[in-house]
């Protein structure tokens, strides 16, 4: 977790629950709270006028999201939606600012987390320059496997659906499925009981 839960509660945090597909905040609104996921998965995305969606990530248990907007008066440039039923710890902006002023080490933890997420965004953005779908998928799976600290072949069970992975790589789901089947034939990954092992 980014910030210890007991510290958040000591500074006035409350727990909020969100149903699957419930909007937590929308692009254009302003940051009023620090959000840290206690349980569940959130989708961070942009939705365009033509209905297309660009997915930036799927933070889950222990992760925070939207925190960088607490340090600016800029409105959110993203949407946050509960991908699953979620329990989220929420701390008002003023209480969050007081927390980081009183405990400056917390700011280092938040900055470290934000930097890791920025690295992931840069990695995913680099996929725009890659035309080979297999290379896109391999780079994403390499990053996820490293993030979750797995090294052995086929030891990492990918915790995302094919739709979620396709969204992160900018590929159509059909293309993603076709490529992972090819990767399985090349023994680059395994598929067992519909789960991907990398």
């Amino acid at each position: 977790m980014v910030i210890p839960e007991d510290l958040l509660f000591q500074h006035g945090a409350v727990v909020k629950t969100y149903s699957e597909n419930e909007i937590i905040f929308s692009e254009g609104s302003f940051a009023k709270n620090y959000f840290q996921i206690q349980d569940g998965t959130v989708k961070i995305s942009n939705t365009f006028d033509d209905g297309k969606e660009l997915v930036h990530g799927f933070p889950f248990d222990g992760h925070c999201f939207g925190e960088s907007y607490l340090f600016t008066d800029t409105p959110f440039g993203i949407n946050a939606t509960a991908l699953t039923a979620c329990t989220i710890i929420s701390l008002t902006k003023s209480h969050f600012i007081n927390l980081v002023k009183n405990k400056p080490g917390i700011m280092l933890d938040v900055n470290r987390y934000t930097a890791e997420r920025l690295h992931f965004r840069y990695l995913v953005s680099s996929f725009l320059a890659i035309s080979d779908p297999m290379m896109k998928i391999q780079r994403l799976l390499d990053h996820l496997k490293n993030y979750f600290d797995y090294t052995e072949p086929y030891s990492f069970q990918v915790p995302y659906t094919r739709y979620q992975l396709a969204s992160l790589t900018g590929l159509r789901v059909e293309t993603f499925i076709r490529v992972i089947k090819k990767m399985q034939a090349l023994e680059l990954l395994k598929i067992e009981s519909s789960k991907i092992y990398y």
Side-chain angles (χ1 to χ4, degrees), residues 90-195:
S90 177
L91 182 65
T92 64
K93 180 176 180 175
S94 60
H95 287 143
F96 174 76
I97 298 298
N98 286 337
L99 169 60
V100 296
K101 283 180 178 175
N102 293 333
K103 299 203 174 281
I106 292 297
M107 196 63 221
L108 185 60
D109 296 333
V110 172
N111 281 341
R112 185 179 299 113
Y113 175 78
T114 304
E116 287 174 1
R117 197 174 58 240
L118 268 175
H119 170 71
F120 178 71
R121 285 307 316 143
Y122 294 150
L123 174 77
V124 171
S125 296
S126 74
F127 295 164
L128 297 173
I130 301 171
S131 58
D132 180 0
M134 187 181 299
M135 187 179 294
K136 287 184 183 191
I137 294 169
Q138 280 185 287
R139 289 191 65 182
L140 176 62
L141 294 178
D142 284 342
H143 174 77
L144 292 172
K145 186 174 182 174
N146 183 55
Y147 177 83
F148 287 102
D149 205 23
Y150 285 85
T151 55
E152 296 299 315
Y154 316 126
S155 61
F156 173 58
Q157 181 184 327
V158 180
Y160 300 109
T161 66
R162 284 151 177 74
Y163 174 78
Q164 292 166 343
L165 293 166
S167 296
L168 288 172
T169 56
L171 297 170
R172 290 183 19 226
V173 177
E174 298 80 8
T175 303
F176 183 86
I177 291 170
R178 180 175 43 79
V179 173
I180 63 165
K181 286 181 179 176
K182 184 176 179 182
M183 291 174 72
Q184 182 181 30
L186 294 170
E187 298 183 352
L188 298 173
L189 54 78
K190 281 186 179 181
I191 301 173
E192 292 178 4
S193 301
S194 79
K195 301 289 186 188

Side-chain angles (χ1 to χ4, degrees), residues 26-97:
S26 298
E27 187 174 352
S29 62
F30 287 86
K32 296 178 181 171
N33 297 285
Y34 169 82
F35 296 103
Q36 186 165 297
I37 304 167
Q38 195 172 50
D39 183 55
T41 303
V42 171
K43 176 176 65 176
I44 304 298
S45 66
N46 290 105
T47 305
F48 301 100
D49 292 338
D50 61 3
K52 289 187 178 176
E53 183 177 54
L54 174 63
V55 176
H56 299 286
F58 299 103
F60 52 90
D61 305 10
H63 290 237
C64 64
F65 57 95
E67 74 289 345
S68 60
Y69 288 94
L70 293 169
F71 303 102
T72 177
D73 293 325
T74 307
F76 285 117
I78 52 174
N79 302 305
T81 308
L83 189 65
T84 64
C86 290
T87 306
I88 296 176
I89 299 169
S90 177
L91 182 65
T92 64
K93 180 176 180 175
S94 60
H95 287 143
F96 174 76
I97 298 298

